[in-house]
Structure formats: C-alpha cells, structure tokens
Amino acid sequence: NAAASPLQLSPGDALSGALGASAAAGAVLQSLRRDEAVNATFSVAPAVGGAAGATDWDDEFLKLVGPELYRRPISGTVEAVRGWVREWAASFLKPGRGLTTPVQVVAVDEGVLLRFISSASGFADEEETADDKWEAAAAKSAALARGQEGRPDGALLILVEAEPSPRVRVCRAEMFAGVLVKEMSEAAVLQRLQKDLKAFEEARRP
C-alpha cells in the first residue's frame, strides 16, 4: 500500500500523485520536526519505481536546503568525478564558454562553488538578451580572472557525494537578502552539466 512505499520530496509543486492518508500524515509530521521545512514550499509523492521500504527523510528534506536543483547517480569513482567537476567548472572562465552572469569558481571539500558576480552597473538575469550583455559578462569574467573583485550575487554549489550513494547534487547557495535567482544562467549550467557529465562517463567506460 501507499504507506509502505517510500516517498519522494521536491521543492515547489513539481510532484503529483495519489498519497494515502497515513503517508500524508507522516510527511506532515516530519515537516513539523525539521528546520529545513521552515518557510519552504515542497511537494510529496510516492517514489518513482521505489520498492517497499522506509522513506529516507533526512535525504529527502536535504532537497530543501538551497534548495536543491538537481541530483543524479554517477558511475566511476567519486574522486574521479569530483576532480572532473572542478575542471569542468573552471571552463566557465574561458573565452566563449562563459555565462551571461560572470562567475567565480571556488573549490570546496566535496566539489565546487560557482559564485555569480555582479556590480553596481550590472544587469538582472531577466534582461540577458542582447549580444552586448554577453560581451560585458566576458569582460567581467576576465577581470575576475585577473583578481579584480565584484559583488557576490548568489551561487550554485555542485557536490559529488559518496553517501548515501555516489551522486552529483546541485543546489543554490549564498542566497542572501536581495539576491535574485539567475534562472537563465542556472539553466545553462545544469544543461551543460548533464550533457558533459554523461559524455565524461561514457568516455571512461571500458
């Protein structure tokens, strides 16, 4: 029955599906106990393809921290993928490979932080349409590479984790008051990550 099946959680209202009364009550009870659920909007549904068993609530509510934008299992060793992710992130600093919002690339223990940078004369992500905006972003990224600082304006944290199973997760970070979501730049990063990580894994298969 639904109560015996594991549940999955997602930020926002992305999930749908029949949920038994017992399962729904359990999810509500968990949300009342957890700091991650404070001021958060999320949806709950039966896990796709999940065998009968308990829900890993710690791992599911982890999705609300940031919030999480992406996760997927990886093949190969965690160390190899983690090293690849750091090199891959640095490619956003190369001419012609940058985002419309310039970034700083900072190595962290389990992966890398892509920190968005803006200035007093910067532009909002929703205005990223004209070619001259790309040129301005490239100039800002070049300035960052030379050690010149801008104003931090949100970030994406890309983690390669060994537990509870080898995987990649991406979540928002440094979302301080007044920071706007960079939807276009986030979408570009996630699309490129999915494509390039798949190619990396396929190239390493025997």
Side-chain angles (χ1 to χ4, degrees):
N1 58 47
S5 300
L7 303 179
Q8 61 179 331
L9 181 152
S10 179
D13 59 358
L15 299 178
S16 62
L19 203 62
S22 178
V28 170
L29 182 60
Q30 288 289 334
S31 69
L32 294 175
R33 293 173 172 173
R34 295 175 179 271
D35 292 340
E36 304 98 312
V38 175
N39 295 325
T41 301
F42 62 93
S43 49
V44 180
V48 177
T55 300
D56 186 347
W57 288 114
D58 288 344
D59 197 44
E60 291 302 314
F61 275 90
L62 183 63
K63 296 174 181 178
L64 300 183
V65 179
E68 181 180 299
L69 303 177
Y70 177 77
R71 70 165 60 179
R72 88 157 178 78
I74 57 173
S75 61
T77 67
V78 169
E79 292 77 11
V81 177
R82 192 173 289 162
W84 175 84
V85 161
R86 288 170 177 154
E87 292 182 7
W88 171 85
S91 71
F92 287 102
L93 300 176
K94 296 179 180 179
R97 290 276 295 176
L99 302 166
T100 53
T101 306
V103 295
Q104 287 179 332
V105 179
V106 182
V108 297
D109 286 345
E110 293 186 295
V112 68
L113 183 79
L114 281 178
R115 176 178 290 132
F116 298 118
I117 299 296
S118 67
S119 65
S121 59
F123 53 89
D125 195 63
E126 62 267 25
E127 298 174 355
E128 298 171 339
T129 54
D131 290 342
D132 59 348
K133 301 276 179 77
W134 287 95
E135 295 175 3
K140 289 180 181 178
S141 290
L144 291 171
R146 294 193 299 269
Q148 300 176 8
E149 295 186 1
R151 178 170 60 84
D153 197 28
L156 288 179
L157 183 61
I158 306 173
L159 301 172
V160 182
E161 301 172 325
E163 299 294 338
S165 61
R167 66 187 184 186
V168 169
R169 291 197 310 119
V170 182
C171 56
R172 291 187 183 127
E174 301 184 354
M175 297 299 294
F176 307 116
V179 172
L180 299 177
V181 172
K182 311 297 183 295
E183 291 186 0
M184 293 178 65
S185 293
E186 288 181 350
V189 170
L190 295 178
Q191 183 179 24
R192 196 180 299 179
L193 177 62
Q194 293 180 69
K195 176 184 176 182
D196 294 349
L197 179 55
K198 179 180 179 181
F200 170 76
E201 290 179 325
E202 291 177 347
R204 291 175 60 86
R205 288 175 185 160

